[in-house]
């Protein structure tokens, strides 16, 4: 990595979030990061994931989820799976109308801005990231699971359930809606926006 890689999203749609997650799975997942909040708007979350491994990246429509797990003590390696399940911190990101997640070689790190809510630097000092977004929240595994249950299926996920989509369209809530509006409702199908309706 010899240059800054910037992903800037305007009026973000689901396929763009899927692309971001694919990139982060190949470049960030599996690394241990130091974390901080340059604009102090994600201080608690940053402190929780500081020094943790990024073990999983997921998308559901326009929502991105990053799973950070403390590395287990060497004496507890046999119980790593149980440690991971109880201590994982999930970071939920929604870019809103515009968002930015820069990844960069650390020797070419750009300046943070007034909107940089999260700064990540890999333990091996090879790569880092700056995140600016409308929503940056943290919680446990239940944060991801509740969003998965709340939102409609994401057609770009391998586990997308088409029957859930059709059942929602048949429900009284959506039967009276024009098809375009029903498809844009994230509780019907996750990830579709105005660009497709137009």
């Amino acid at each position: 990595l010899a240059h800054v890689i910037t992903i800037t999203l305007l009026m973000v749609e689901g396929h763009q979030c899927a692309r971001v997650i694919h990139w982060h799975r190949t470049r960030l997942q599996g690394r241990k990061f130091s974390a901080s909040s340059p604009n102090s708007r994600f201080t608690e979350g940053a402190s929780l994931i500081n020094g943790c491994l990024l073990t999983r990246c997921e998308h559901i429509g326009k929502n991105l989820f990053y799973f950070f797990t403390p590395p287990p003590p060497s004496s507890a390696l046999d119980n790593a799976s149980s440690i991971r399940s109880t201590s994982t911190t999930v970071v939920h990101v929604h870019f809103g109308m515009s968002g930015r997640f820069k990844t960069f070689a650390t020797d070419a790190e750009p300046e943070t801005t007034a909107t940089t809510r999260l700064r990540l630097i890999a333990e091996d000092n090879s790569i880092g990231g700056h995140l600016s977004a409308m929503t940056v929240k943290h919680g446990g595994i239940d944060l991801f699971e509740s969003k998965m249950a709340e939102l409609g299926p994401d057609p770009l996920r391998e586990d997308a359930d088409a029957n859930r989509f059709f059942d929602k369209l048949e429900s009284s809530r959506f039967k009276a809606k024009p098809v375009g509006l029903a498809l844009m409702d994230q509780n019907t199908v996750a990830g579709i926006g105005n660009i497709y309706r137009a």
Side-chain angles (χ1 to χ4, degrees):
L1 291 171
H3 58 282
V4 176
I5 302 160
T6 305
I7 300 174
T8 303
L9 303 174
L10 301 176
M11 298 185 68
V12 61
E13 308 293 359
H15 70 284
Q16 295 166 305
C17 287
R19 189 170 67 233
V20 170
I21 287 297
H22 173 73
W23 174 262
H24 289 169
R25 283 173 177 164
T26 61
R27 294 294 189 272
L28 304 182
Q29 188 169 306
R31 297 178 184 270
K32 182 179 177 182
F33 288 94
S34 63
S36 60
S37 181
N39 72 356
S40 301
R41 294 189 62 193
F42 192 61
T43 303
E44 182 180 353
S47 68
L48 286 172
I49 65 174
N50 186 43
C52 290
L53 291 166
L54 177 57
T55 55
R56 182 179 171 192
C57 304
E58 298 284 352
H59 65 90
I60 309 173
K62 304 175 186 183
N63 300 269
L64 293 78
F65 300 87
Y66 298 86
F67 296 67
F68 289 89
T69 305
S74 57
S75 61
L77 287 176
D78 291 340
N79 297 319
S81 60
S82 62
I83 293 172
R84 287 170 186 268
S85 64
T86 57
S87 58
T88 295
T89 296
V90 177
V91 176
H92 170 215
V93 176
H94 192 298
F95 286 110
M97 292 297 290
S98 65
R100 177 174 294 184
F101 204 140
K102 293 181 179 180
T103 57
F104 47 80
T106 51
D107 60 1
E109 180 177 2
E111 294 290 329
T112 60
T113 71
T115 63
T116 306
R117 299 181 71 171
L118 178 63
R119 175 180 180 261
L120 296 172
I121 298 294
E123 182 181 43
D124 63 6
N125 209 38
S126 62
I127 191 171
H130 291 172
L131 170 64
S132 299
M134 177 184 73
T135 299
V136 186
K137 297 179 179 178
H138 69 277
I141 297 293
D142 58 319
L143 173 61
F144 172 72
E145 292 176 344
S146 63
K147 272 293 182 182
M148 177 72 87
E150 172 190 338
L151 295 167
D154 180 343
L156 297 181
R157 288 181 58 91
E158 291 184 359
D159 60 359
D161 184 350
N163 289 325
R164 277 188 68 213
F165 167 64
F166 291 122
D167 289 345
K168 285 175 177 287
L169 282 182
E170 287 294 319
S171 69
S172 58
R173 174 180 174 182
F174 296 106
K175 268 193 170 182
K177 279 189 175 183
V179 172
L181 288 179
L183 291 178
M184 286 178 57
D185 189 315
Q186 300 301 296
N187 292 323
T188 310
V189 58
I192 295 177
N194 266 319
I195 187 173
Y196 296 106
R197 185 184 176 204

